[in-house]
């Protein structure tokens, strides 16, 4: 398969997504998110369930229309008409979390991979036959020899093979960016390593950009160039992975990292309670009801600000950033 040409930059600017129920309160799933993903890099989007990770990923890929804000593609706002989304989705492919549910049980591996080629009319607009394009995509996803899988059905494959078929279906379109939602959460540890190695290989050999949505900070540590940490619809810390995870600043990031087995230098922190209901977002810093720094008295000097003063949205900048009153207060006194 050939590498992408000029590369692509996908950017979220002040994205917000709200879901209204009939007669009920509005759920704020995303509340002002700035994020940039480029070809040739792996960006990990991490946080607990309910933090807004999947909503942000779906909005970036045009599957969810934002309530506010814009998605831009190389600086041009994304349009939501079919004629706009079709070429965009060839360049930006989403790999869903559950390969068993994402693959049609009545389709062979060959048809599952060829589906995108046919939908975009690529099967007959190439110097390679459809069969060659399907075989190349399966090979690029690590399924060799590809012809042996052409006539197999999803139930005849292992979990790792099904995940690779999904990746092959995306690669068949020669995208520039992949958005992978919890791509290894349902796989055994040995297979997880193989899929992560595959993503690294695709970045190196094809110049692909990859947004990996995950709750696993160990995964982010192993493969991501940059990491963004989400909590209750907002990005609360972001930057190069070695800085965000090697020197975490936000109490939320520190708590998540403290229970990662590979990282033993942090005292374990058990967060009390669950991520709050998105229909009842706390005032001030939205993390303050669960913040270990407040509970321990470490943030006493800024406690009023934590409880009452909202934090600004982090911009999509290159350096290490953190949205936390305590951190900002400490930086101001240095």
């Amino acid at each position: 398969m050939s590498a992408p040409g000029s590369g692509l930059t996908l950017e979220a600017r002040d994205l917000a997504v709200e879901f209204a129920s009939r007669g009920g309160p509005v759920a704020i799933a995303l509340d002002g998110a700035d994020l940039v993903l480029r070809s040739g890099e792996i960006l990990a989007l991490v946080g607990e369930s309910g933090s807004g990770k999947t909503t942000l990923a779906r909005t970036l890929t045009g599957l969810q229309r934002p309530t506010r804000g814009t998605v831009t593609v190389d600086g041009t706002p994304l349009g939501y008409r079919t004629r706009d989304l079709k070429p965009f989705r060839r360049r930006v492919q989403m790999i869903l979390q559950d390969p068993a549910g994402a693959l049609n049980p009545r389709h062979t591996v060959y048809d599952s991979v060829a589906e995108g080629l046919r939908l975009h009319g690529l099967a007959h607009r190439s110097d390679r036959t459809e069969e060659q394009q399907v075989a190349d995509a399966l090979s690029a996803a690590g399924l060799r020899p590809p012809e042996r899988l052409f006539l197999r059905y999803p139930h005849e494959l292992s979990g790792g093979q099904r995940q690779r078929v999904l990746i092959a279906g995306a690669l068949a379109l020669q995208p520039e960016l992949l958005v992978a939602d919890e791509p290894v959460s349902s796989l055994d540890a040995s297979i997880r390593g193989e899929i992560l190695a595959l993503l690294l290989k695709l970045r190196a050999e094809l110049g692909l950009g990859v947004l990996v949505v995950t709750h696993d900070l160990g995964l982010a540590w192993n493969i991501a160039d940059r990491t963004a940490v989400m909590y209750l619809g907002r990005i609360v810390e972001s930057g190069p992975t070695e800085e965000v995870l090697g020197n975490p600043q936000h109490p939320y990031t520190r708590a998540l990292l403290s229970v990662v087995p590979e990282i033993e230098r942090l005292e374990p922190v058990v967060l009390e309670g669950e991520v709050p209901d998105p229909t009842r977002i706390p005032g001030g810093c939205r993390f303050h009801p669960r913040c270990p720094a407040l509970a321990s008295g470490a943030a006493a000097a800024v406690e009023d600000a934590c409880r009452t003063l909202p934090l600004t949205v982090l911009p999509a900048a290159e350096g290490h950033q953190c949205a936390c009153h305590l951190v900002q207060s400490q930086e101001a006194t240095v």
Side-chain angles (χ1 to χ4, degrees):
M1 298 183 69
S2 60
S6 59
L8 181 147
T9 298
L10 186 63
E11 183 172 0
R13 297 178 181 173
D14 192 31
L15 281 190
V17 174
E18 298 178 357
F19 297 107
S21 59
R22 183 177 297 178
V26 173
I28 302 174
L30 201 60
D31 184 24
D34 285 11
L35 193 73
V36 174
L37 175 65
R38 302 179 184 88
S39 297
E41 70 170 354
I42 297 179
L43 169 62
L45 187 60
V46 303
E48 297 170 284
S49 296
S51 62
K53 308 185 303 295
T54 295
T55 300
L56 178 52
R58 289 177 57 83
T59 308
L60 280 169
T61 53
L63 295 174
Q64 172 67 51
R65 192 163 187 161
T67 305
R68 184 186 77 242
T70 57
V71 175
T72 63
V73 186
D74 288 336
T76 301
L78 176 64
Y80 291 89
R81 295 173 297 183
T82 301
R83 69 182 185 185
D84 297 320
L85 287 173
K86 189 173 181 179
F88 167 73
R89 286 178 177 156
R90 180 187 170 188
R91 301 180 73 189
V92 180
Q93 281 283 295
M94 187 164 188
I95 300 169
L96 299 176
Q97 179 175 354
D98 177 19
L103 293 171
N104 189 326
R106 297 183 179 181
H107 284 182
T108 63
V109 167
Y110 182 94
D111 287 330
S112 293
V113 176
E115 184 176 13
L117 292 170
R118 296 165 182 169
L119 179 64
H120 288 269
L122 302 178
H124 305 294
R125 282 192 284 158
S126 171
D127 56 359
R128 296 174 300 141
T129 66
E130 178 183 281
E131 185 173 319
Q132 289 173 326
Q133 292 177 73
V134 170
D136 286 349
L138 287 169
S139 294
L143 293 169
R144 303 186 185 93
E147 293 80 9
R148 288 188 180 179
L149 281 88
F150 278 2
L151 300 181
R152 291 192 185 180
Y153 288 88
H155 72 271
E156 299 177 295
L157 306 176
S158 67
Q161 287 175 321
R162 286 194 291 265
Q163 188 65 278
R164 288 176 186 270
V165 170
L166 280 184
I167 294 172
L171 294 179
L173 300 181
Q174 295 188 293
E176 291 157 271
L177 299 177
L178 296 178
V179 177
D181 188 2
E182 297 283 5
V184 296
S185 62
S186 62
L187 303 177
D188 294 338
S190 60
I191 306 302
R192 285 163 55 93
E194 292 178 6
I195 298 298
L196 296 181
L198 172 62
L199 294 178
L200 287 168
K201 180 180 179 182
L202 294 174
R203 188 270 304 271
E205 295 184 356
L206 301 180
L208 284 176
V210 186
L211 175 64
V212 179
V213 177
T214 181
H215 65 278
D216 185 348
L217 275 73
L219 182 157
W221 179 266
N222 285 321
I223 72 166
D225 302 297
R226 292 189 295 123
T227 295
V229 183
M230 287 199 75
Y231 184 78
L232 200 56
R234 285 266 180 99
I235 294 171
V236 298
E237 189 163 6
S238 66
T241 296
E242 65 270 19
E243 295 182 29
V244 173
L245 303 187
N247 184 28
Q249 300 298 303
H250 200 286
Y252 179 60
T253 309
R254 294 178 66 85
L256 294 179
L257 273 169
S258 74
V259 294
V260 176
E262 298 95 318
I263 301 176
E264 301 177 353
R265 53 189 170 76
L266 295 174
E267 287 293 323
V269 176
V270 178
L271 290 175
E272 298 294 332
E274 304 290 335
V275 177
D277 187 330
T279 65
R280 295 191 295 272
I281 291 179
C285 170
R286 55 193 61 198
F287 183 60
H288 86 258
R290 304 174 70 202
C291 183
L294 272 180
S296 67
V302 293
E303 183 172 348
D304 286 344
C306 295
R307 298 184 185 279
T308 62
L309 186 62
L311 288 152
T312 58
V313 173
L314 289 181
E318 293 295 325
H320 188 181
Q321 302 181 94
C322 176
C324 172
H325 289 298
L326 176 60
V327 172
Q328 291 173 1
S329 173
Q330 291 171 340
E331 290 175 346
T333 59
V334 173

